C-alpha cells in the first residue's frame, strides 16, 4: 500500500486487526480446498483480495472463495513474501462454484466489474505488480470467454481506458494466511474496508444485481 490518506487508513486498519490476531492459528496458511463433486473452480486477481473475495462470494452459485496468491514463481509464499514483489505473485481469489447455477462467463463478468481492470499494476491506492489485474483460464473455452468479455467491455466504453488484465493459463494457487480469509466481513468498520473495498463491492452489486444471493439484493 502506497502513500495516501487511504494508505494511512489501511495501516490503521491493519494495526488494529494485528492486535486482535494473537489467537493461535491466525497466521497459519489455510489448506487449499479440493473441489467437491459438481463444483468448478475459477481464479482471478483484481487488487486487494479482501474486496474481490467478498464481491464474488455474494453471487448465486458461489459456494466458497479463498484468498491467496498465483502467477508467481516462489512456492508456498506468505503474504509478507508477496508484498516484497520478488515472488511474482498477485493477490487472487479462488472461487468454488456450481456451474449449473452460475456460468464461468457470468463469474468472469462480475470479476471485471468488481475492480478497475484498466489500471496497470495498481488498484486505486494499492500499487505494485501484486495488485495487478489477472485472470487465469483452465481450458481453451475459458480463455476465449475472457478474451470475448474484454472485447465486449472495451467496446461498451464502461471504463474510460482499455482493459489491461493479463489472461494467462492457470498453474498453481497458494492460499493466504487464515486472517485474510473473510476479512471484509470480519472487519466491516476498518478504514480501508470502508474507503476502498466497500465501493468495489457496491459497484459489483449494482452491475450484477439479478445474480446476487437474496440477502444482497437490496
Amino acid at each position: 500500500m502506497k502513500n495516501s490518506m487511504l494508505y494511512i487508513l489501511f495501516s490503521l486498519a491493519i494495526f488494529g486487526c494485528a492486535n486482535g490476531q494473537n489467537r493461535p492459528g491466525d497466521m497459519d496458511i489455510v489448506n487449499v480446498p479440493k473441489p467437491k463433486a459438481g463444483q468448478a473452480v475459477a481464479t482471478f486477481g483484481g487488487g486487494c483480495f479482501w474486496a474481490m473475495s467478498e464481491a464474488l462470494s455474494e453471487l448465486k452459485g458461489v459456494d466458497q472463495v479463498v484468498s491467496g496468491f498465483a502467477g508467481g514463481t516462489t512456492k508456498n509464499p506468505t503474504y509478507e513474501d508477496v508484498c516484497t514483489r520478488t515472488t511474482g505473485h498477485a493477490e487472487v481469489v479462488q472461487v468454488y462454484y456450481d456451474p449449473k447455477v452460475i456460468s464461468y462467463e457470468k463469474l468472469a463478468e462480475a470479476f471485471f466489474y468488481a475492480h478497475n481492470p484498466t489500471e496497470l499494476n495498481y488498484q486505486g491506492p494499492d500499487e505494485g505488480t501484486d495488485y495487478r489485474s489477472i485472470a487465469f483460464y483452465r481450458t481453451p473455452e475459458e480463455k476465449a470467454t475472457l478474451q470475448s468479455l474484454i472485447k465486449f467491455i472495451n467496446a461498451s466504453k464502461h471504463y474510460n481506458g482499455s482493459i489491461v488484465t493479463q489472461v494467462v493459463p492457470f498453474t498453481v494457487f497458494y492460499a493466504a494466511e487464515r486472517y485474510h480469509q473473510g476479512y471484509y466481513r470480519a472487519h466491516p468498520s476498518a478504514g480501508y474496508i470502508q474507503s476502498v473495498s466497500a465501493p468495489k463491492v457496491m459497484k459489483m452489486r449494482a452491475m450484477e444485481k439479478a445474480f446476487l444471493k437474496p440477502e444482497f439484493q437490496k
Side-chain angles (χ1 to χ4, degrees):
M1 312 296 177
K2 293 298 183 178
N3 295 330
S4 69
M5 181 57 69
L6 290 176
Y7 170 55
I8 295 172
L9 289 172
F10 172 69
S11 298
L12 291 174
I14 287 295
F15 178 75
C17 294
N19 286 341
Q21 288 164 5
N22 295 322
R23 300 183 302 274
D26 275 343
M27 298 301 290
D28 291 348
I29 294 176
V30 302
N31 293 325
V32 177
K34 292 183 179 180
K36 298 176 182 178
Q39 276 187 334
V41 183
T43 309
F44 304 103
C48 178
F49 44 30
W50 295 345
M52 188 62 67
S53 176
E54 174 62 24
L56 298 186
S57 72
E58 295 185 359
L59 296 168
K60 294 176 183 177
V62 172
D63 301 316
Q64 184 179 9
V65 181
V66 180
S67 295
F69 316 105
T73 55
T74 301
K75 293 183 178 179
N76 301 310
T78 64
Y79 181 71
E80 233 177 89
D81 293 334
V82 174
C83 285
T84 65
R85 303 189 182 95
T86 58
T87 71
H89 290 289
E91 289 193 19
V92 303
V93 296
Q94 186 140 291
V95 185
Y96 297 78
Y97 68 101
D98 184 347
K100 293 181 180 178
V101 179
I102 187 169
S103 66
Y104 179 83
E105 180 178 18
K106 179 54 63 176
L107 197 61
E109 179 185 275
F111 155 72
F112 282 115
Y113 291 136
H115 74 300
N116 187 341
T118 70
E119 295 178 334
L120 182 62
N121 296 333
Y122 75 99
Q123 279 293 301
D126 303 328
E127 299 181 17
T129 54
D130 46 329
Y131 297 112
R132 67 189 182 273
S133 180
I134 186 167
F136 298 87
Y137 61 86
R138 288 171 168 78
T139 66
E141 292 76 18
E142 289 183 354
K143 180 180 181 180
T145 294
L146 292 167
Q147 293 173 331
S148 178
L149 279 170
I150 290 173
K151 184 177 180 180
F152 173 80
I153 296 172
N154 278 337
S156 74
K157 303 297 182 183
H158 179 79
Y159 295 104
N160 292 328
S162 297
I163 291 175
V164 296
T165 303
Q166 294 179 349
V167 175
V168 298
F170 176 80
T171 53
V172 62
F173 167 81
Y174 299 101
E177 291 83 351
R178 191 171 303 282
Y179 73 87
H180 286 298
Q181 311 303 329
Y183 193 96
Y184 184 100
R185 296 189 193 184
H187 305 282
S189 61
Y192 181 87
I193 294 298
Q194 292 186 348
S195 300
V196 181
S197 302
K200 293 180 181 179
V201 174
M202 296 305 110
K203 177 174 177 286
M204 191 286 299
R205 285 184 185 178
M207 296 300 296
E208 304 292 352
K209 188 173 182 180
F211 296 90
L212 296 174
K213 293 171 181 173
E215 60 267 37
F216 302 110
Q217 292 184 357
K218 299 177 182 179

